[in-house]
């Protein structure tokens, strides 16, 4: 019996008899048996196997082709849905922001407070390790305790500074106002002692990391937001203008970048370009100049807050800061031109806005770059999902915190006019004078008002009768 040969190669001819053409799969069933080649049954088996292989190959190719055709469509639909969601929520945020701003300062303060809390929650969450947090139940509680203590201290400072005339004359609030800083310090000490007491062996590194991370978040978010709050009290323009400059600069950078951007600006944000960066700077200055020219005409924006119940309809009344008053400037052309002097009027705020716009364009974006580096460190795309289509609150506010901080510092250093206020006089009297001396001040003011005709003589007598008699 002859042994079957292995690795037998079958030669096939096409219908045209050319041997050089690649044989088709179906042609294997039509070839003629050579001596020593398998018989018809074996050939039938090969033909069936080839047919099955062809069918499987065709199905595989069809599925692959279908996937290739459907994948771009699904990606397109996904991007389209994301764009629609992002656009809708952008308009929702813009509408809500303007509604709150026109409703009154207290509503803007509420929004800033909510942003602080949510941003703190998002930043703390990216460094949290759930498996360890389960074994340390007080870690999260301490985070929120330190947040509450910090906000109590910062908000208290603002309220006492801007509303002295209310807080320092109230019998209940006076002790809290005069000892506010000591109370805040003791609250922090309680949290510190509780943290040290909660340290557990095997978790030291995690607990101290969380402690340091919490304090970093408090500084980067809440401390900077505190100065934004103070800017609101100084006048709505010092809050709205810096915020709008950052938003428009981001839009201008995107438009300029996709239009003629070529050179990468920084590796942390690969899509940022030098051309977009510089183009946005120029356009932001132009926008700031025009926006300032509009806002400075309304006292609701330029007046400090003296009534938290005020809104766009009731308005505010004050003596405007000199920075909003137009001043005449004269430019003397060179003598060789034999031209008369050129005179023009402009408010000093228009010069200051150049600094604000430059900071919003050249420095504030680095707050976003810092946030991008932070997200890359923890390998997350967004800080959260607080805003559909946008990510977290922190993703939208990363540049606003440092811009708000700068706006307040610049205002206090170069624009604010310092003068004695009613609250300042009351604070000096309460903290620097004894009760007897305070009574003498009141008695002296009564006599002065009577001499000016503001207070009637009968009212002055009744007023003096109500005061305690002088000690001899």
């Amino acid at each position: 019996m002859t042994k079957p040969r292995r690795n037998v190669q079958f030669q096939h001819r096409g219908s045209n008899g050319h041997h050089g053409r690649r044989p088709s799969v179906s042609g294997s069933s039509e070839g003629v048996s050579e001596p020593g080649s398998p018989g018809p049954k074996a050939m039938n088996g090969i033909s069936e196997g080839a047919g099955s292989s062809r069918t499987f190959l065709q199905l595989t190719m069809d599925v692959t082709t279908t996937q290739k055709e459907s994948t771009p469509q699904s990606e397109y639909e996904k991007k389209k849905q994301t764009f629609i969601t992002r656009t809708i929520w952008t308009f929702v945020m813009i509408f809500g922001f303007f509604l709150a701003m026109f409703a009154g300062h207290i509503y803007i303060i509420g929004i800033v407070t909510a942003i602080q809390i949510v941003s703190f929650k998002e930043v703390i969450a990216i460094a949290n390790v759930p498996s360890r947090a389960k074994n340390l139940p007080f870690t999260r509680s301490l985070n929120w305790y330190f947040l509450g203590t910090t906000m109590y201290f910062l908000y208290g400072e603002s309220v006492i500074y801007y509303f002295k005339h209310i807080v320092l004359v109230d019998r209940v609030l006076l002790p809290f106002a005069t000892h506010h800083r000591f109370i805040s310090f003791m609250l922090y000490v309680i949290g510190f002692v509780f943290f040290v007491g909660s340290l557990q062996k095997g978790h030291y590194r995690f607990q101290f990391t969380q402690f340091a991370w919490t304090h970093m978040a408090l500084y980067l978010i809440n401390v900077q937001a505190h100065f934004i709050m103070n800017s609101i009290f100084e006048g709505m323009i010092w809050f709205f203008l810096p915020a709008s400059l950052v938003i428009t600069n981001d839009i201008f950078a995107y438009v300029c970048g996709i239009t003629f951007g070529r050179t990468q600006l920084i590796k942390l944000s690969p899509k940022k370009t030098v051309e977009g960066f510089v183009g946005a700077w120029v356009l932001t200055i132009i926008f700031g100049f025009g926006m300032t020219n509009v806002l400075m005409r309304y006292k609701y924006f330029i007046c400090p807050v003296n009534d938290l119940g005020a809104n766009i309809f009731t308005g505010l009344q004050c003596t405007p800061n000199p920075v909003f008053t137009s001043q005449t400037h004269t430019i003397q052309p060179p003598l060789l031109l034999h031209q008369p002097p050129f005179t023009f009027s402009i408010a000093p705020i228009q010069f200051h806005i150049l600094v604000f716009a430059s900071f919003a364009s050249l420095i504030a974006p680095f707050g976003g770059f810092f946030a991008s580096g932070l997200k890359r460190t923890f390998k997350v795309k967004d800080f959260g999902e607080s805003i559909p289509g946008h990510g977290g609150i922190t993703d939208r506010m990363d540049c606003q915190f440092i811009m708000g901080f700068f706006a307040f510092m610049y205002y206090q250093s170069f624009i604010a006019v310092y003068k004695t206020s009613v609250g300042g006089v009351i604070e000096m009297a309460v903290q620097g004078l004894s009760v007897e001396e305070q009574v003498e001040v009141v008695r002296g003011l009564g006599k002065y008002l009577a001499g000016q005709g503001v207070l009637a003589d009968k009212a002055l007598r009744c007023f003096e009768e109500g005061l305690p008699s002088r000690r001899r």
Side-chain angles (χ1 to χ4, degrees), residues 92-282:
V92 169
M93 288 188 294
I94 293 174
F95 175 77
F97 174 76
F98 278 98
L99 181 64
M101 185 174 65
F102 294 148
H105 299 73
I106 191 66
Y107 296 97
I108 289 292
I109 293 173
I111 289 178
V112 174
T113 303
I115 289 174
Q116 288 185 67
I117 296 173
V118 177
S119 297
F120 178 83
K121 175 179 176 294
E122 291 175 348
V123 172
I124 289 298
I126 66 173
N128 189 37
V129 181
S131 59
R132 293 201 172 191
K134 290 181 180 179
N135 299 325
L136 301 167
F138 295 112
T139 300
R140 179 170 294 183
S141 300
L142 277 172
N143 291 337
W144 289 104
Y145 177 82
F146 282 123
L147 173 65
T149 300
T150 303
M151 293 185 70
Y152 171 79
F153 169 70
L154 297 175
Y155 275 66
E157 288 288 305
S158 297
V159 170
I160 293 171
Y161 181 81
Y162 289 102
F163 299 97
K164 297 172 185 176
H165 58 289
I166 298 175
V167 176
L168 296 177
V169 298
D170 189 278
R171 179 178 298 180
V172 177
L173 298 178
L174 180 61
F176 292 97
T178 53
H179 305 100
H180 172 70
R181 294 179 179 176
F182 180 78
I183 295 173
S184 301
F185 174 73
M186 292 307 300
L187 289 174
Y188 177 81
V189 168
I190 292 172
F192 176 78
V193 172
F194 192 82
F195 165 75
V196 175
S198 66
L199 291 173
Q200 294 185 16
K201 186 177 181 180
H203 299 282
Y204 293 152
R205 181 183 296 274
F206 173 75
Q207 289 181 287
F208 276 102
T209 300
Q210 289 291 306
F211 184 79
W213 185 255
T214 300
H215 283 68
M216 186 198 77
L218 291 172
Y219 171 74
L220 292 178
I221 297 173
N222 299 94
V223 172
Q224 294 188 110
H226 163 67
F227 294 103
I228 295 176
M229 298 269 293
N230 290 350
S231 296
I232 297 173
F233 289 125
E234 295 290 351
M236 186 69 78
I237 190 173
W238 307 117
F239 164 76
F240 176 71
L241 193 58
S244 62
L245 289 174
V246 170
I247 295 172
T248 52
N249 177 259
D250 190 40
I251 296 173
F252 291 145
Y254 174 77
V255 173
C256 294
I258 63 174
T259 303
F260 48 82
R262 296 292 183 271
T263 309
Q264 188 182 57
L265 177 65
I266 188 171
K267 292 183 178 180
L268 282 173
S269 294
K271 295 182 180 180
K272 302 291 184 181
T273 62
V274 176
E275 294 81 3
F277 194 69
V278 176
W281 177 25
V282 176

Side-chain angles (χ1 to χ4, degrees), residues 2 69 194 251 394:
T2 306
E69 292 177 352
F194 192 82
I251 296 173
T394 314

